[in-house]
Structure formats: structure tokens, C-alpha cells
């Protein structure tokens, strides 16, 4: 069964304290891995797509990496406005839908 | 780019009424749109996949007669919750994907959701 697991479930950091979020996946045929950010009461906002192991993408304080079994979202020197739930999802061969992880609730304290 | 608009953002209605939610892709054409439901502090739960011009594909456990989906154009999909009851109260979110075939690997772009409250 295709599965996506995110850890930790929740993470509290001080402003400026760098860390990483993990997304591990077990799927039959990975076509792509997507990271989204979701603020309370809003829809998910697209951040990155990663298609193959070794690929990296960066945007401001965020950097996403991909291996054959997992992806990391690295957050460097985070600010309070980075507080949100970060969702990881994968697309698999022969399917239209995404398989989502449960998300990581990130809180950055000033 | 890749903006998805969802309306209404919030609706309150009496039990037994039907509610229609619209999802529009504003700056791209979407062959495929998706409808999700999200409970507090949980991830997205896919309800159905909608391909333009054909019947929607519903996930197991989702009543297709309860949740009517129409995708009549490449920029508009609607979800109608028929004879809504309090247990249908939830946060409904749509997404759309760029028009590159039904198995496109382009990212889904999401609307801002509709908070539905049934009294």
C-alpha cells in the first residue's frame, strides 16, 4: 500500500533555530514529491516539486531534498511567519491523485 | 500564476438544504480538478477526482449522490452537497492541475477552502 509518513507531528522552534522536517514514503512508483504549506483556515500553498533522487530546490529560507526513500524540508534561520503546517504529498505512476502525509505543525516562537 | 479561486469561503445553512461550492482556475486550464475534505488538525482527505467532460471518480466511502460534482469546462468545477446535515459540516477544499493530460505530473494548486456549517 502506498504510504507517506511525516515527522515530527509538531515542532516548536525559536526564531533563528534551524531544523528539518521529514517525509518518508513507500510507494509503488514515484513520479513526483510535492511540498505544501498550509496556514489555518486556508488551502495548501504549493512550495516545491521534486522528481528524482538527489534533486534539491530552494526558496528563501526553505530547501527541499529528495532521496529514494524520503524527503527533507530544511528550514534555515526561521522567522515567526514561517509558522504553518507543512504537507508532503507524492504522485505515483498510473494514478491521478496525490497521497498526502499527515503534516508537520511548525511553530516559530519570536 | 496558477491561481485557484473557491467560493463561497464560508456558508451556514439549515439542515436539509443543498449547498453549491464553485472552484475556478483563473489563469490556467485544468483538465483535472480534485475535491477534498479536511477535519480539524488532520490532513486532506480526497473525496473525488473530476476530469473535464466526464463523470467524477469518487473515493471509497464517499456517497456520489450526496456530493454531486460537475466539471463542465476547463476552468470550473462545482461540488453540491445535497440535503446537507450537521455531519456534513467541514472544511472543503478544491484543487486544480495544469492542462497537460489526466496523468499530468504538474502540481495541484489549491483554493482557499469553504467552511460549511450545517445547523
Amino acid at each position: 500500500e502506498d504510504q507517506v509518513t511525516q515527522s515530527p507531528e509538531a515542532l516548536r522552534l525559536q526564531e533563528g533555530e534551524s531544523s528539518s522536517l521529514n517525509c518518508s514514503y513507500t510507494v509503488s512508483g514515484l513520479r513526483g514529491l510535492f511540498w505544501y504549506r498550509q496556514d489555518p483556515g486556508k488551502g495548501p500553498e504549493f512550495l516545491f516539486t521534486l522528481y528524482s533522487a538527489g534533486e534539491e530546490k530552494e526558496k528563501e529560507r526553505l530547501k527541499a531534498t529528495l532521496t529514494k526513500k524520503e524527503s527533507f524540508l530544511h528550514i534555515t534561520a526561521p522567522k515567526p511567519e514561517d509558522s504553518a503546517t507543512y504537507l508532503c504529498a507524492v504522485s505515483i505512476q498510473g494514478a491521478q491523485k496525490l497521497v498526502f502525509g499527515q503534516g508537520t505543525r511548525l511553530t516559530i516562537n519570536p | 500564476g496558477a491561481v485557484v479561486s473557491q467560493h463561497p469561503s464560508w456558508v451556514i445553512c439549515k439542515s436539509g438544504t443543498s449547498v453549491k461550492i464553485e472552484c475556478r482556475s483563473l489563469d490556467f486550464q485544468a483538465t483535472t480538478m480534485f475535491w477534498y475534505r479536511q477535519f480539524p488538525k488532520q490532513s486532506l482527505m480526497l473525496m473525488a477526482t473530476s476530469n473535464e467532460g466526464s463523470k467524477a471518480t469518487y473515493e471509497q466511502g464517499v456517497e456520489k449522490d450526496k456530493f454531486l460534482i460537475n466539471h463542465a469546462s476547463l476552468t470550473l468545477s462545482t461540488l453540491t452537497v445535497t440535503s446537507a446535515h450537521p455531519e456534513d459540516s467541514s472544511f472543503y477544499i478544491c484543487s486544480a492541475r495544469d492542462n497537460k493530460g489526466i496523468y499530468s505530473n504538474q502540481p495541484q494548486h489549491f483554493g482557499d477552502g469553504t467552511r460549511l456549517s450545517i445547523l
Side-chain angles (χ1 to χ4, degrees), chain B residues 93-111:
Chain B
I93 310 175
C94 73
S95 72
R97 196 169 56 197
D98 265 340
N99 183 24
K100 297 190 192 311
I102 64 172
Y103 290 106
S104 166
N105 208 17
Q106 295 296 308
Q108 294 180 24
H109 297 280
F110 289 82

Side-chain angles (χ1 to χ4, degrees), chain A residues 22-89:
Chain A
N22 178 263
C23 170
S24 62
Y25 58 90
T26 308
V27 298
S28 51
L30 179 74
R31 295 203 305 135
L33 186 141
F34 304 87
W35 281 99
Y36 291 87
R37 168 195 170 125
Q38 186 176 24
D39 292 302
K42 297 285 189 179
E45 174 191 346
F46 170 69
L47 294 174
F48 303 110
T49 308
L50 301 166
Y51 291 110
S52 57
E55 191 174 357
E56 298 182 353
K57 294 272 180 74
E58 279 189 76
K59 179 181 179 181
E60 296 181 355
R61 294 177 292 281
L62 300 176
K63 179 181 176 180
T65 62
L66 180 65
T67 73
K68 289 187 178 180
K69 293 183 179 180
E70 59 191 349
S71 176
F72 290 95
L73 184 65
H74 307 278
I75 303 178
T76 302
K79 298 181 178 181
E81 53 262 40
D82 294 322
S83 297
T85 295
Y86 290 84
L87 296 167
C88 166

Side-chain angles (χ1 to χ4, degrees), chain B:
Chain B
V3 177
V4 175
S5 174
Q6 188 173 339
H7 291 282
S9 56
W10 186 42
V11 59
I12 300 175
C13 60
K14 292 181 179 180
S15 183
T17 58
S18 293
V19 179
K20 180 184 281 189
I21 303 170
E22 289 190 350
C23 180
R24 294 180 185 272
S25 56
L26 297 186
D27 54 357
F28 66 97
Q29 293 186 322
T31 303
T32 308
M33 289 185 171
F34 304 84
W35 287 95
Y36 295 84
R37 187 170 178 175
Q38 188 174 34
F39 294 101
K41 296 190 177 181
Q42 292 189 23
S43 192
L44 303 171
M45 183 185 79
L46 180 66
M47 299 174 65
T49 300
S50 170
N51 291 309
E52 185 264 339
S54 59
K55 290 184 179 180
T57 302
Y58 290 82
E59 294 298 301
Q60 192 172 9
V62 178
E63 300 175 59
K64 60 181 180 181
D65 295 330
K66 174 78 171 174
F67 299 99
L68 300 179
I69 292 172
N70 183 279
H71 190 168
S73 79
L74 285 172
T75 59
L76 174 64
S77 177
T78 60
L79 168 68
T80 301
V81 184
T82 61
S83 186
H85 292 286
E87 58 266 29
D88 299 321
S89 298
S90 191
F91 191 52
Y92 293 88
I93 310 175
C94 73
S95 72
R97 196 169 56 197
D98 265 340
N99 183 24
K100 297 190 192 311
I102 64 172
Y103 290 106
S104 166
N105 208 17
Q106 295 296 308
Q108 294 180 24
H109 297 280
F110 289 82
D112 268 344
T114 297
R115 175 77 54 197
L116 176 62
S117 296
I118 309 297
L119 304 176

